[in-house]
Amino acid sequence: MAFGHWQIGLHIQQDSIVSVALTPGRAGWTLRRWWQMELPVGTLENGQLRMPQHLLTTLAPWRKSLPQYHRVRLAFPAARTLQKRLAQPAMKLREKELSGWLSHAMARELEMAAKDLRFDYTEDRLAPVYQVTAAQHKEVAELLTLAKSLRLNVAAITPDACALQSLIPFLNPPAQCLVWQDNAQWLWASRTGWGRQSCEEVSSLTQLASRLGLAEDEVILCSDKGGGFDPWYAVAQRHPPLPAQGERFAIAIGLALGGNL
């Protein structure tokens, strides 16, 4: 990792965009800047980009404020991804062969052409299976096209819920699952997994904990209020003023700390 580079997390939300720039050092992470930008109504609908030009116009002034040396990690909506567990093939495959096998296996599962999918995978530590995350290629390509238009140095595209995993080491026991909420959904992450639940399906943090098979005190909500987890705690050196509603920046912070689809 280059110490002079700004590590930037960019989280596109339903009504706004939030971004955080950090740099690493011996004493921990240092906050360089944060941004919060309003989005025109209708730019996104249920995680889908409907008006790319509005997004480009909103981000253009932000781009001008970035230094030459930067790396950006973009959030991708977990609502637009699908996770599958696929049993490992009987024969050991080389990386390129494995990638092709997984691509076609996911295409069969989803009844889609392999060329229409973008996917990433990890090997399960406890069972002979692969954890595969897939998204539609065209939706990932839209983000990459936007990044190219803005001349961004993109390091990764990461499902938004997955980005919360970067904050798990900062939790105090017994908490082991971190949750972020907006008006439509709950995003959650633990050391071993991540996911999303709609607010229509789950009405409270207690109900979400039950769905995940966890005790209430093992699940904690991103919040700068008492009893919650303040995501800014992960940044060792931060300079006021910090934004109001600091929990809105949790995923951007998680992306900046490191994190890919």
Side-chain angles (χ1 to χ4, degrees), residues 199-249:
C199 290
E200 292 180 353
E201 298 172 316
V202 175
S203 60
S204 68
L205 195 64
T206 299
Q207 190 177 356
L208 179 63
S210 178
R211 286 278 186 105
L212 298 175
L214 296 171
E216 280 190 61
D217 61 357
E218 293 176 321
V219 178
I220 189 166
L221 184 68
C222 288
S223 173
D224 53 11
K225 298 180 176 62
F229 173 76
D230 183 355
W232 291 99
Y233 176 75
V235 183
Q237 300 181 59
R238 50 194 186 272
H239 311 287
L242 294 177
Q245 296 182 307
E247 68 276 3
R248 295 196 66 171
F249 288 76

Side-chain angles (χ1 to χ4, degrees), residues 108-188:
R108 287 196 303 271
E109 287 271 344
L110 302 176
E111 298 182 349
M112 293 177 63
K115 65 180 177 62
D116 293 334
L117 289 176
R118 186 75 172 256
F119 72 96
D120 192 17
Y121 65 92
T122 57
E123 190 170 352
D124 195 297
R125 298 176 184 177
L126 304 177
V129 299
Y130 291 110
Q131 302 272 10
V132 187
T133 303
Q136 291 193 47
H137 177 79
K138 65 179 182 179
E139 294 186 8
V140 178
E142 283 178 338
L143 272 183
L144 291 174
T145 298
L146 175 74
K148 185 176 181 180
S149 298
L150 292 166
R151 295 177 290 106
L152 295 176
N153 299 323
V154 176
I157 297 179
T158 302
D160 46 18
C162 180
L164 293 173
Q165 287 185 320
S166 297
L167 298 171
I168 298 299
F170 299 94
L171 301 184
N172 292 320
Q176 58 177 289
C177 179
L178 184 60
V179 178
W180 183 87
Q181 183 189 21
D182 63 14
N183 293 332
Q185 62 185 347
W186 306 83
L187 301 178
W188 63 268

